[in-house]
Amino acid sequence: METGEGTEETPLPLALTRFQLSEEYGFLLPHPLTELPAPYGPWMEIAHDLPQLIASRRLRSQVHQMPQLSTRHLRGREELHLAHLVLSFITMGYIWQEGEEGSVKVLPRNLAIPFWEVSQALGLPPILSHADFVLANWRRKDPNGNLDTIISLPGGESLRGFILVTFLVEKAAVPGIKAIVRAIRAILQLDEETLHQALQELAEAIGDMSKALKRMHDYVDPAVFYAVIRIFLSGWKDNPAMPQGLVYEGVSEEPMAYSGGSAAQSTVLHAFDEFLGIRHSGESNAFLHRMRDYMPPPHRAFVEEIRRAPSLKQHVLSSGDAGLCAAFNRCVSALADFRSYHITIVTKYITIAAAKAKAGRAEPGDGAGPSAGKPPSALETKGTGGSHIFSFLKSVRDTTREGTISV
C-alpha cells in the first residue's frame, strides 16, 4: 500500500500525510466507507445482521452458504479497510458463536482466503484488531455529528459505547500527535519556545484522553462487557480456549496463532512512549513490541520515525532549562495518570465483573440476547491480547512514572 508521499519540495520530518495520519482524525480512518461494492453484497448482508445471527446460533450456517468471492474488485485503502473490518467481525462471530467451549479449529476457505488476501494487502494480521474495531468502524449518524458504529457484534448499546468511547480517546489524542511533530521540528531548529508550547499541548491532550476514557462508565455496562462482549475480542494466541491456534483453510494446513484486540494495539501510546523516552521492561516491552505487528504499517513506521528522531529527554536534560524540564515532567505524569485510570477501568470491567459473574450476580441486560450464555473464563486474568493483564498494566504504568526527570 502507498504511504502517501508528501508533496513538499523538502520533506519535513514526520509530515503526517507520509504515514496515513490525518490532521483532524490522527490515526483514525478519516472518512470510513460504510458499504462495499455490489459484488460483496453477501459479506455485507451477513455483517449487518451479526448480533442476531450470533444470538440465534445461525452465523456458522450462513457463512457455510456464503459464496467464495474474489478480492480483486476491491479498490483503494478505504475499500480494503472496510473489507477487513467486515471479514474480521464475521470471523470473530464464527469462532465464538457457541462460546469458548464451542470454538472451532478451522476457518472455512470462503472466509479464510479473502480475509487472508485483504490482510496481506493492508499489512494487517487476519484477525480483528484495534485498527478494525475502532479506527475504521465509525460513521456519522446524522448532520449533528452524532456517531455510530458501522459493524456490530452482540452487546447492544454497551458494545456501541465501548467502541465509540475508545474512538473519542483516539480523537482526543490528535492535538498531542501534532504536538509531537512540532516538538521534533523545534528540537531540530533549537526553538525552545515552540518546544515548550508543544509539550504543554501534549500534556493537555493526554489529560483530555483521560477525560474521554471516563465516559466508559456512562455507556458500558460491566456485566455486558465481561459476559457478552469480551469473548468476541479474544484471539487464538496465548488463549487456553484455543491452544493450537486456528487453521485458515486454503491458506495454510498448519494452525496459526494471533492475539485478540487490545488497547496495546493503539499507536497513540506507542508514539507518546517513544517521544518521551519511556522504556518498558522485560515481558511488558516484548508484548508491546509484538502488538505493533497489529498496527497498519504506515502507523508503525510513524512510531519508528519518532524513535529515530533526536531524543527529547536528552535535549531537555542538556538544556538545563527548568521550565522545559517541568513541561516534560507534566507530559510524563499525564501519561502515568492515564495508565492508572486505565487500570481503574480494567478493575471494574474485568476483575469486579468476573467476581460478580462467578457469584451468579451479574445479569447482562442491554439487549444482550441469548448469546450472553456462560461468562468466559479462559481469559479471566488475561487481556484479550493474551497478556497477564494486571502485572502488565501496572508494570507499564510504573515504568512510565520512572520516566520523569529529577530536578
Side-chain angles (χ1 to χ4, degrees):
M1 296 295 295
E2 295 287 318
T3 55
E5 291 303 317
T7 53
E8 303 91 348
E9 286 178 29
T10 310
L12 291 166
L14 283 180
L16 295 181
T17 50
R18 281 176 53 216
F19 301 96
Q20 292 181 356
L21 274 123
S22 153
E23 285 279 334
E24 189 179 353
Y25 294 104
F27 294 107
L28 293 155
L29 196 62
H31 303 288
L33 292 178
T34 57
E35 286 294 336
L36 285 171
Y40 301 102
W43 293 353
M44 295 306 300
E45 208 173 304
I46 289 175
H48 285 314
D49 203 23
L50 276 177
Q52 293 75 17
L53 289 172
I54 294 166
S56 60
R57 307 284 200 266
R58 288 181 296 127
L59 175 60
R60 286 182 187 166
S61 61
Q62 287 287 311
V63 167
H64 296 153
Q65 294 165 42
M66 197 171 77
Q68 173 95 46
L69 300 176
S70 163
T71 56
R72 70 173 181 271
H73 304 295
L74 294 166
R75 297 276 179 273
R77 184 163 66 106
E78 281 77 12
E79 285 188 10
L80 284 167
H81 271 297
L82 179 55
H84 202 275
L85 167 66
V86 163
L87 295 172
S88 66
F89 268 61
I90 294 173
T91 295
M92 298 321 254
Y94 184 90
I95 301 295
W96 301 116
Q97 173 182 290
E98 306 291 332
E100 68 185 10
E101 287 165 12
S103 64
V104 293
K105 293 178 178 173
V106 179
L107 196 66
R109 67 175 55 242
N110 59 344
L111 181 51
I113 292 173
F115 193 18
W116 178 262
E117 289 173 356
V118 170
S119 300
Q120 292 292 104
L122 285 170
L124 288 170
I127 191 170
L128 176 69
S129 68
H130 182 80
D132 307 295
F133 192 62
V134 177
L135 303 185
N137 192 22
W138 67 278
R139 63 185 176 89
R140 298 213 177 279
K141 196 161 57 171
D142 53 45
N144 301 325
N146 291 319
L147 299 173
D148 204 352
T149 55
I150 298 169
I151 309 295
S152 197
L153 283 163
E157 285 301 301
S158 285
L159 186 275
R160 189 170 159 271
F162 182 61
I163 294 170
L164 295 178
V165 169
T166 311
F167 166 95
L168 293 175
V169 174
E170 289 276 346
K171 186 81 164 58
V174 175
I177 297 161
K178 293 199 281 196
I180 288 178
V181 173
R182 288 180 58 221
I184 289 173
R185 247 172 244 172
I187 293 168
L188 292 167
Q189 293 162 359
L190 302 177
D191 180 351
E192 304 298 285
E193 193 181 329
T194 300
L195 177 57
H196 193 279
Q197 193 184 353
L199 291 179
Q200 279 181 305
E201 286 167 13
L202 175 57
E204 276 174 36
I206 299 170
D208 289 342
M209 288 166 64
S210 291
K211 284 181 199 153
L213 187 58
K214 284 180 179 159
R215 298 181 70 177
M216 204 64 84
H217 302 292
D218 302 327
Y219 294 102
V220 185
D221 178 335
V224 175
F225 177 79
Y226 185 77
V228 181
I229 296 169
R230 196 164 177 251
I231 191 168
F232 295 105
L233 305 181
S234 304
W236 27 98
K237 180 179 174 65
D238 302 325
N239 185 347
M242 287 182 72
Q244 306 304 316
L246 179 70
V247 172
Y248 290 74
E249 190 181 48
V251 174
S252 167
E253 290 178 16
E254 294 300 312
M256 293 188 268
Y258 294 100
S259 297
S262 164
Q265 294 166 0
S266 168
T267 314
V268 170
L269 296 179
H270 291 254
F272 291 174
D273 278 346
E274 291 291 2
F275 177 62
L276 296 168
I278 307 290
R279 297 284 172 261
H280 298 295
S281 54
E283 281 181 36
S284 299
N285 190 50
F287 176 73
L288 282 167
H289 273 269
R290 190 157 60 74
M291 290 299 99
R292 291 186 185 181
D293 295 339
Y294 293 76
M295 298 172 186
H299 297 177
R300 212 181 308 154
F302 179 76
V303 176
E304 190 55 33
E305 195 85 352
I306 294 170
R307 191 183 68 77
R308 288 200 298 263
S311 165
L312 167 68
K313 195 168 191 175
Q314 286 308 315
H315 181 84
V316 172
L317 283 166
S318 59
S319 75
D321 182 329
L324 209 52
C325 186
F328 175 89
N329 283 345
R330 275 195 294 276
C331 292
V332 175
S333 295
L335 190 55
D337 289 347
F338 178 83
R339 287 184 155 135
S340 281
Y341 198 74
H342 188 211
I343 292 170
T344 304
I345 292 279
V346 168
T347 303
K348 175 178 175 177
Y349 284 89
I350 295 177
T351 314
I352 296 170
K356 285 184 176 175
K358 265 186 174 168
R361 286 184 285 129
E363 292 178 15
D366 206 16
S371 61
K374 193 175 111 187
S377 61
L379 292 179
E380 237 168 51
T381 59
K382 287 188 171 190
T384 43
S387 65
H388 286 279
I389 196 156
F390 278 99
S391 57
F392 167 71
L393 291 175
K394 285 174 179 169
S395 153
V396 166
R397 189 265 321 272
D398 293 346
T399 48
T400 304
R401 277 189 184 148
E402 288 160 16
T404 53
I405 294 170
S406 303
V407 182

